[in-house]
Amino acid sequence: MSSTTPDDDATTPPRHASQEQLRALAHPLRLDIVERVGRHGTARAADIAADLSVPANSVSYHLRILARGGVIEEAPEAARDRRDRVWKLTQSSFHFHDGKRSANDPHSTDADYLAASGATSLAAFERMRSAWSAEIARQSAAPGGEDLTSLYTTDLRLSVKQARELNSLIQTTLADYNTLNRDGQGVEIPGDPDSEDAAFHYQVLWAAVPHRSTAGEPTGQDDG
């Protein structure tokens, strides 16, 4: 997702996820639901349930949690009648704040915000693990196909400055690719206008973690 919201302009600083939003997002299925709502612009519980092959009552339960946390809200303008409940995202980005607390969340504290962002990160890891396991099973059952599945892992030796440069490069590249075949609000555009071929949905995870000693210090530093 981009770092701006539908109401952002050049003079409005980007909103980051609040502590309550992060708490609501800290579940793999709720991350899936948010992705579906954002992808389509608006969505109903029944449509999400069918898309994810999850019972509708379970989806409704998680939608209520996301609504209480301020992640989604009702979209009456898209409803067919008064009984029709349609949902949309409250903002187009739920990035963690670069600091220890969200600048737009006056109720957050450093420790609580870090705990909430950590829980959401673990949920994102679990979501990716589940997707990777399912893809391995699919490929084992029916090898072949033209879609791309990739995993690359390695250890690097970098200074803090170099690690920041790499992180910025990866995030900038992903942000650029995240705009392809989507409109300004992140909703997918039919026909895939930025691609000569059909576009597919990919889950992408970038993580860089320093090796640390039992004392919590980074390892591999030169002596002297």
Side-chain angles (χ1 to χ4, degrees), residues 43-182:
R44 296 171 176 84
D47 298 328
I48 297 171
D51 190 18
L52 296 175
S53 299
V54 174
N57 60 347
S58 177
V59 171
S60 295
Y61 166 77
H62 289 291
L63 284 170
R64 289 195 296 271
I65 293 177
L66 290 168
R68 286 200 299 268
V71 176
I72 61 173
E73 62 187 0
E74 289 198 55
E77 67 278 6
R80 293 180 290 237
D81 53 50
R82 292 183 179 180
R83 295 176 297 177
D84 188 26
R85 303 194 75 180
V86 186
W87 301 94
K88 64 182 179 181
L89 300 183
T90 57
Q91 57 196 65
S92 62
S93 168
F94 296 98
H95 288 304
F96 305 170
H97 190 257
D98 293 337
K100 291 184 178 181
R101 70 177 77 183
S102 176
N104 51 261
D105 183 0
H107 302 295
S108 68
T109 63
D110 289 350
D112 288 342
Y113 190 83
L114 285 174
S117 63
T120 304
S121 296
L122 291 176
F125 275 104
E126 177 58 27
R127 178 173 180 258
M128 181 61 75
R129 186 202 65 78
S130 297
W132 188 259
S133 298
E135 179 62 15
I136 292 175
R138 184 193 70 83
Q139 291 183 358
S140 299
E146 297 182 358
D147 54 326
L148 172 66
T149 301
S150 62
L151 174 67
Y152 179 78
T153 178
T154 188
D155 283 11
L156 304 176
R157 180 173 172 81
L158 305 172
S159 68
V160 171
K161 179 181 178 180
Q162 291 168 334
R164 287 174 176 161
E165 290 173 348
L166 176 60
N167 191 54
S168 177
L169 175 63
I170 296 295
Q171 291 194 3
T172 299
T173 301
L174 290 177
D176 288 342
Y177 274 84
N178 192 43
T179 65
L180 298 180
N181 306 306
R182 299 175 183 267

Side-chain angles (χ1 to χ4, degrees), residues 211-224:
H211 291 182
R212 296 187 181 276
S213 67
T214 55
E217 296 298 327
T219 61
Q221 299 182 39
D222 293 330
D223 295 331

